[in-house]
Amino acid sequence: MRILVARCTVDYEGRLAAHLAEAVRLIMVKADGSIAIHADGGAYKPLNWMNPPNNLTETPERWTVTNTRGEQLVIELLEVLSDVTHDLGSDPGLRKDGVEAHLQELLAADPSVLEDGFRLVRREYPTAVGPVDMLCRDAAGAAVAVEIKRRGETQGVEQLSRYLEFLNNDPALQPVQGLFVAEEIKPQARVLADARGIRCKVVDYAVLRGDRPEDLRLF
Amino acid sequence: MRILVARCTVDYEGRLAAHLAEAVRLIMVKADGSIAIHADGGAYKPLNWMNPPNNLTETPERWTVTNTRGEQLVIELLEVLSDVTHDLGSDPGLRKDGVEAHLQELLAADPSVLEDGFRLVRREYPTAVGPVDMLCRDAAGAAVAVEIKRRGETQGVEQLSRYLEFLNNDPALQPVQGLFVAEEIKPQARVLADARGIRCKVVDYAVLRGDRPEDLRLF
DNA sequence: GACTCTATCTCGGTA
DNA sequence: TACCGAGGTAGAGTC
């Protein structure tokens, strides 16, 4: 990884046009050829960047970075304050716990959490417009399509609506109800779900995993 | 900005749990207190990060970063290869041209571009499921809900469908037609719009802005 | 390669 | 502050 600190201006032409006026910034060139330009604020996003693969043409005053999609980044170097290179080696990568996939696994393992008497028919139940996260039968034997999200937004309700539209064309299943499950459900998503006759259920990943019994959450 | 290159392990506990095994990485500490940890690949995303405001507790072997939302990042420093600090000063920021907002402004300024006789009722017209980009009346006085995108995809059509569903419940407006406007409309989006009775209109930002007259685009 | 969906999305706007 | 939507979304998985 090459780390440059320099007073510079930057121009990007590609999916849109963007310009950075003169200032001191960090320019990171990674082993895969990617380039990122950071200011001294905002943890996550570089001001400008180019994803690999890139072609870098370098002169002392100007770097021109192009890629195969017709995007171009031009860095005018007015003053280089530092220019160092470190060999970082490869990274073992990030291990995560608590994403939507884990939520799905826990709910599939015990669907009765969603409602008494629920039993799982199939995970990733296929429809013509994509797979439903879970298809269940309730205590009365009626089919229920379950869509699971970490954050419940209107988009997820739309997704479930589409699945229900198709599932309700299957004589072996119909009528199919909808259940929208998330750790957090936004007001607009709830309004839309109500309008579509879809029920909502909020769950807690930590509780499902058994870390914190439900009654302890009162504190 | 402080730039550390170090062999380290990292643990994050917050919106989810994540772990990074031992490796050499770049640790960036910005003036606003934000922290980002980068590997030598992937231009954009740090492996781990903490957004400001943060509280950083530092010992030679361990950094503990916490914020007000109960998130915590712990960095175990096994070997520090470099530790430098640069004063970058403030950044004038990024100027962008060609985003959706600019498209909206130009169309709001002259809705007749969309169709002869169109006049604007209101931008960001509110509904229970979110605001429509523009509500217009056509030459005959009929209401038209307009959704504007840079890239027209099925999602945008779904969005407009949702608005229309609710707008058509308003006796003062109904019947409300839909018009989907974008610089580029994907085939699938067009098919879906047709199926929903929504009209499509392709516009060109440069032409609207007046840079390039329509007839010059033939070359 | 194109399409789909998630994300510790980030970031900006607004009520 | 919370909510909403755009983004050069990026990045991962699937077909």
Side-chain angles (χ1 to χ4, degrees), chain A:
Chain A
M1 184 187 289
R2 182 172 173 193
I3 302 157
L4 203 70
V5 177
R7 177 171 302 279
C8 61
T9 67
V10 184
D11 279 280
Y12 165 79
E13 282 279 347
R15 278 172 275 184
L16 56 60
H19 174 75
L20 281 172
E22 184 181 329
V24 178
R25 302 187 176 94
L26 173 77
I27 301 166
M28 224 191 310
V29 185
K30 294 191 177 182
D32 59 3
S34 61
I35 294 186
I37 298 159
H38 283 265
D40 211 346
Y44 194 100
K45 261 188 96 160
L47 292 165
N48 274 110
W49 69 95
M50 287 284 276
N51 287 331
N54 289 322
N55 191 299
L56 170 59
T57 308
E58 189 180 337
T59 74
E61 306 89 27
R62 173 195 284 240
W63 288 11
T64 304
V65 190
T66 53
N67 68 16
T68 51
R69 285 178 298 189
E71 295 172 280
Q72 186 183 57
L73 189 77
V74 177
I75 306 173
E76 300 279 353
L77 297 170
L78 305 164
E79 181 190 4
V80 175
L81 304 170
S82 166
D83 183 355
V84 298
T85 299
H86 290 273
D87 183 8
L88 267 54
S90 73
D91 201 283
L94 190 65
R95 279 198 305 111
K96 292 190 202 181
D97 180 38
V99 295
E100 181 188 314
H102 302 140
L103 209 53
Q104 272 200 43
E105 281 161 27
L106 290 171
L107 291 170
D110 184 11
S112 71
V113 168
L114 296 173
E115 197 178 288
D116 265 357
F118 256 39
R119 59 194 177 75
L120 180 67
V121 175
R122 212 193 131 164
R123 278 179 72 182
E124 303 294 340
Y125 187 94
T127 78
V129 287
V132 194
D133 286 340
M134 296 194 345
L135 188 71
C136 292
R137 294 276 182 185
D138 67 12
V144 183
V146 181
E147 180 65 30
I148 301 161
K149 295 281 177 207
R150 239 167 24 89
R151 296 165 69 162
E153 299 176 12
T154 50
Q155 215 168 289
V157 179
E158 293 279 17
Q159 206 178 329
L160 180 52
S161 302
R162 277 202 305 274
Y163 298 150
L164 286 169
E165 193 180 325
F166 279 75
L167 291 171
N168 272 309
N169 287 332
D170 183 346
L173 293 175
Q174 67 180 61
V176 185
Q177 301 164 50
L179 180 62
F180 191 57
V181 179
E183 289 192 271
E184 177 200 354
I185 296 181
K186 296 286 167 82
Q188 288 196 350
R190 206 176 277 275
V191 167
L192 187 63
D194 285 351
R196 300 268 167 85
I198 291 170
R199 281 175 295 153
C200 293
K201 168 96 181 164
V202 174
V203 295
D204 184 305
Y205 177 67
V207 170
L208 289 175
R209 203 177 42 184
D211 284 6
R212 291 181 290 164
E214 193 111 27
D215 50 8
L216 282 179
R217 294 182 55 234
L218 298 170
F219 301 99

Side-chain angles (χ1 to χ4, degrees), chain B residues 157 178-182 185 189-191 193-194 198-202:
Chain B
V157 179
L179 181 61
F180 190 57
V181 179
I185 297 181
R190 203 176 280 275
V191 168
D194 285 350
I198 291 170
R199 278 175 297 151
C200 292
K201 169 92 180 166
V202 174

